[in-house]
Amino acid sequence: MLKFKQKHNPNGPKRSLQSGAAKIIKSGGIVPKVQTKAVEKKPVDKTEGLKAKLQGGHFRALNEELYTNESQEMFDKFQQSPELFDLYHRGYRHQVEGWPENPLDRIISFIRQRKELKVVGDFGCGEARLAKTLNADKTPGRVVHSFDLVARCPEM
C-alpha cells in the first residue's frame, strides 16, 4: 500500500508518493519524476550562436543539394568551390557528435573482424576516416579505396 504525504499548495492540495517515483496530482493524473544530470551551462556568446545556426543552415542546404541534384552537377560545384566541401563536413561532424553512435564505428568494427576482406571501397568517404583507421591496422593484403567529390587527404 502506498503512503502519501500532504504538501501545502495555495492552488489546492497536492499529494506525492513518499518513494518519490511519481507525483499524484489532485486531478488524478500521474506525472513521472525524471532524474536529469546537472549540466554546466557555458555562457553563450550571441555572435557564436548565430554563426552556429548559419553554419547549420548551410550544412542542411548543401545536404539537400547533394541528395536532390545530379552527381555531375555537385561534382562541378565542389570542384569550383572546394571550401563548400569543408563547410559541409564541419556541419556533418557537428551533427554526428549528437548521435548516440556513429555508424562508421560499427563499419570499422565489422571490417576489422573479417580479415578475409581485402578490398574495401568507401564512396562518399568525407575525410577518409575509414581508410585512415583501417590502414593503421596494417592488415596484410587489405587495401581501402576512398572516393568523394573533393580529395582533401592522401588516402583519397
Side-chain angles (χ1 to χ4, degrees):
M1 174 166 229
L2 297 174
K3 294 182 182 179
F4 295 91
K5 60 181 177 180
Q6 284 290 114
K7 290 187 177 181
H8 175 70
N9 184 347
N11 298 327
K14 184 187 272 188
R15 297 180 290 169
S16 69
L17 292 174
Q18 282 185 334
S19 69
K23 290 183 178 179
I24 309 255
I25 311 284
K26 182 180 178 183
S27 66
I30 296 177
V31 180
K33 280 187 176 180
V34 178
Q35 288 199 338
T36 58
K37 292 190 281 183
V39 176
E40 184 181 325
K41 292 187 177 182
K42 297 177 184 175
V44 177
D45 177 14
K46 286 187 179 188
T47 305
E48 290 302 314
L50 291 173
K51 282 181 184 178
K53 283 184 180 182
L54 186 60
Q55 286 178 348
H58 285 167
F59 167 74
R60 285 187 294 282
L62 282 171
N63 196 42
E64 185 173 339
E65 278 189 82
L66 284 166
Y67 282 96
T68 58
N69 292 328
E70 294 292 323
S71 297
Q72 186 63 52
E73 182 180 342
M74 293 310 296
F75 176 77
D76 293 341
K77 182 173 185 159
F78 276 63
Q79 292 302 306
Q80 291 170 5
S81 303
E83 69 278 1
L84 292 176
F85 180 85
D86 299 324
L87 177 68
Y88 174 82
H89 284 285
R90 270 195 308 275
Y92 180 78
R93 276 192 309 273
H94 180 72
Q95 182 178 352
V96 169
E97 288 171 3
W99 294 351
E101 181 179 11
N102 185 339
L104 186 55
D105 293 332
R106 275 199 169 181
I107 293 167
I108 290 168
S109 177
F110 176 86
I111 295 170
R112 280 179 165 163
Q113 293 171 15
R114 287 153 184 86
K115 302 291 184 203
E116 72 277 7
L117 294 177
K118 298 297 183 193
V119 180
V120 177
D122 188 1
F123 298 81
C125 67
E127 297 159 314
R129 182 173 155 233
L130 181 65
K132 290 174 184 175
T133 304
L134 294 176
N135 289 343
D137 292 347
K138 299 185 178 174
T139 301
R142 178 173 289 153
V143 62
V144 181
H145 299 283
S146 301
F147 305 94
D148 212 321
L149 295 173
V150 176
R152 283 291 201 225
C153 59
E155 288 82 6
M156 298 171 78

